[in-house]
Amino acid sequence: MASEAAKELARKQKAEAKALKEAKKHSDNPSDWGTIRQIRETYKLTAEHQPRIGWMLAGAVLGPVVVGVVVGLLVGTMLIFWILLGLLAGLTVALFVLQRQAKKAAFARAADQAGGAQVALSLLDKKKWHYTMAIALDKQANCVHRAIGPGGLILIGEGKGKAATTMLRNEARRHRQVLYGVDVQTVMIGNGTDQVPLPKLYDYIKKLPKKLSAEQIEEIEYRLVALDSIRPRVPLPKGPLPTSGNMRVSRRAMRG
């Protein structure tokens, strides 16, 4: 009897494992994909914005291979070794090129979309940085996002015109009232004066000098719960905000 129960449990576990594998195989979530599929899907999306990516990757691979052949012929020994070494170096260079172009493609897709800042914010180290999208949003899709980490508390404004800058300024005032002496930094995404272009937002935040410890971050987040609980309901515009899922670019690939 016990043997039959064990067999039934094993069959059930096997069926569940098979179903999970099948679900991941057809999943649209990049975190469920294997390395090969991540690279393939990243290449497809990159090619939409950089049609020459195939030639760029071919050149990245062939260049080191040619160098390996030349070195092998000059040395006169172990030609195969130098070719293989050149091939490995070429694949490494090709992955680096794909990573750089994938980043550019992702930012190009997000540039004129509300919520595009998530592409940059999602690249931050999740163990150190926490971010909240669209803590404030109006019907024109102007919005303010919030990130908190070792570099401090940063409010990121996204949108155009006076309405966007006014919203960012108002949110900074509300946060300072709740957080008392905490330094609330503001950043406006854009290409104008005193603005940070979207492709440079990640580097801008990452390079901020350390201001907060893990304990301070936890305390500030606890105090922010009160602010968010009394916040009026956000007037969402028609249609969903684009998310990282819409971009379908693997974060792992973008980080390299």
Side-chain angles (χ1 to χ4, degrees), residues 4-242:
E4 287 297 323
K7 288 181 180 179
E8 181 62 27
L9 179 61
R11 281 195 294 269
K12 186 177 179 181
Q13 291 175 337
K14 187 176 180 180
E16 289 176 351
K18 185 177 180 180
L20 181 61
K21 184 178 180 181
E22 192 67 20
K24 285 188 175 184
K25 183 178 179 181
H26 299 286
S27 174
D28 289 333
N29 187 351
S31 62
D32 292 333
W33 300 345
T35 301
I36 299 300
R37 186 180 177 188
Q38 285 192 4
I39 293 174
R40 185 172 66 247
E41 294 293 335
T42 301
Y43 174 84
K44 288 179 181 177
L45 285 173
T46 305
E48 293 177 7
H49 293 271
Q50 177 51 272
R52 295 180 297 170
I53 186 63
W55 292 106
M56 294 169 70
L57 296 180
V61 173
L62 290 177
V65 171
V66 171
V67 172
V69 171
V70 172
V71 172
L73 292 174
L74 291 175
V75 172
T77 57
M78 299 188 297
L79 178 60
I80 297 299
F81 167 79
W82 288 106
I83 292 175
L84 290 176
L85 187 61
L87 180 60
L88 290 174
L91 291 174
T92 302
V93 173
L95 287 174
F96 175 76
V97 171
L98 180 60
Q99 175 232 344
R100 291 291 300 273
Q101 294 301 320
K103 272 188 178 182
K104 290 182 180 179
F107 285 124
R109 290 169 66 90
D112 297 321
Q113 298 187 49
Q118 186 171 6
V119 175
L121 295 177
S122 65
L123 296 176
L124 294 170
D125 187 342
K126 291 178 175 57
K127 293 181 180 179
K128 298 180 180 179
W129 285 89
H130 307 142
Y131 68 89
T132 306
M133 296 296 296
I135 59 172
L137 177 71
D138 65 16
K139 294 180 180 179
Q140 285 72 47
N142 298 311
C143 51
V144 176
H145 317 297
R146 183 174 64 214
I148 180 170
L153 187 143
I154 303 101
L155 297 179
I156 302 105
E158 190 175 0
K160 298 178 180 178
K162 268 188 178 179
T165 54
T166 300
M167 180 184 290
L168 180 60
R169 186 168 57 248
N170 291 340
E171 279 302 315
R173 187 181 68 252
R174 290 192 187 101
H175 279 71
R176 291 187 182 107
Q177 289 173 347
V178 173
L179 299 177
Y180 315 120
V182 175
D183 181 26
V184 178
Q185 305 170 73
T186 59
V187 177
M188 194 70 199
I189 296 176
N191 298 311
T193 306
D194 298 327
Q195 294 182 336
V196 177
L198 179 58
K200 295 183 179 180
L201 179 62
Y202 166 73
D203 290 328
Y204 174 87
I205 295 176
K206 189 179 177 183
K207 291 177 181 178
L208 288 172
K210 185 175 180 180
K211 294 183 177 181
L212 301 176
S213 65
E215 292 76 17
Q216 289 173 313
I217 293 171
E218 186 176 354
E219 180 187 348
I220 291 172
E221 288 185 322
Y222 179 77
R223 290 160 66 182
L224 285 172
V225 173
L227 175 62
D228 292 340
S229 66
I230 61 174
R231 188 180 298 279
R233 188 174 180 180
V234 174
L236 291 173
K238 293 182 180 180
L241 279 174

